[in-house]
Amino acid sequence: MKILVPVKRVLDYNLKPRVKADGSGVDLANVKLSMNPFDEIAVEEAIRLKEKGVATEIVAISVGEAKAQETLRTALAMGADRAILVTQEGAVEPLAVAKILKAIADEEQPGLIILGKQAIDDDSNQTGQMLAALLGWAQGTFASKVEVSGDTVNVTREVDGGLETVALKLPAIVTTDLRLNEPRYASLPNIMKAKSKPLAQKTPADYGVDTTPRHTTLNVSEPPKRQAGIKVADVDELVGKLKALGVVA
């Protein structure tokens, strides 16, 4: 079985985002960019399935600027077999990404597509669901456990009330949550090997997809700074202030 794993290059999760002075977006100049953490988990899960003998090939895919090659090389160093970069400068909205992934899936004919539940830059949480709709495949979102058996994949999902397990007929879409696994570090030998693994470069036009944005960002601003707290002399004063704020009756 072939597994496709889409990955995205985003601001490193250890860094604090800085908003541009004109409020047009997040400042990405001279900052570290790395693989989206949820996508890293997706790559790890695909590798584990291959190690179990479930999968025979892992194809990493990224839609973005040319420098996304670095992110794909990371996926290759972790254990992916080959990669596809669909070059597109500027932001690409989830629907356009889903359409590109559908076209690639039609060509590659995978048995499973595993991707992060969301990217930490836009937090859209839409691509996986849109892709499932476009392909007409079953989907298991927010996965904390994935088990493939024959032509079925059992996905344990994290929901508001706890856990829910669904059985999906392959081919299917799975989006990963944080508790699914702990991604491995790429070893130096594997990093060197990744340089020689195939990485095909395409454009959205190759797949007949129009990436023209459908919405406009009006303004981006930082959250308000947290105000300092105050000390109260006793419980009665605390209750009085809470009543004044309408927190308690």
Side-chain angles (χ1 to χ4, degrees), residues 15-55:
L15 302 179
K16 181 181 179 181
R18 300 193 311 266
V19 176
K20 293 180 181 179
D22 60 1
S24 61
V26 175
D27 187 3
L28 299 179
N30 303 315
V31 296
K32 181 182 178 182
L33 299 176
S34 57
M35 188 187 301
N36 178 50
F38 293 105
D39 297 340
E40 198 172 7
I41 292 169
V43 174
E44 174 65 26
E45 192 63 23
I47 295 168
R48 294 188 184 190
L49 290 174
K50 185 179 180 182
E51 291 173 343
K52 293 176 182 177
V54 174

Side-chain angles (χ1 to χ4, degrees), residues 8 29 38-40 45 88 90 92 138 144 153 172 184 190 232:
K8 186 177 183 181
F38 293 105
D39 297 340
E40 198 172 7
E45 192 63 23
Q88 173 65 42
V92 187
S144 60
V153 55
R184 69 193 65 190
N190 287 338
V232 293

Side-chain angles (χ1 to χ4, degrees), residues 150-183:
D151 62 351
T152 302
V153 55
N154 293 323
V155 179
T156 300
R157 305 178 59 242
E158 297 195 355
V159 296
D160 290 341
L163 299 176
E164 173 189 67
T165 301
V166 294
L168 311 176
K169 198 79 170 177
L170 295 175
I173 308 289
V174 173
T175 70
T176 61
D177 214 329
L178 283 175
R179 280 158 288 281
L180 179 57
N181 61 51
E182 183 71 30

Side-chain angles (χ1 to χ4, degrees), residues 223-243:
K225 292 183 179 179
R226 186 173 180 178
Q227 296 182 350
I230 59 172
K231 291 184 178 180
V232 293
D234 50 37
V235 174
D236 291 338
E237 184 181 354
L238 172 61
V239 173
K241 289 185 176 296
L242 291 175
K243 286 183 177 179

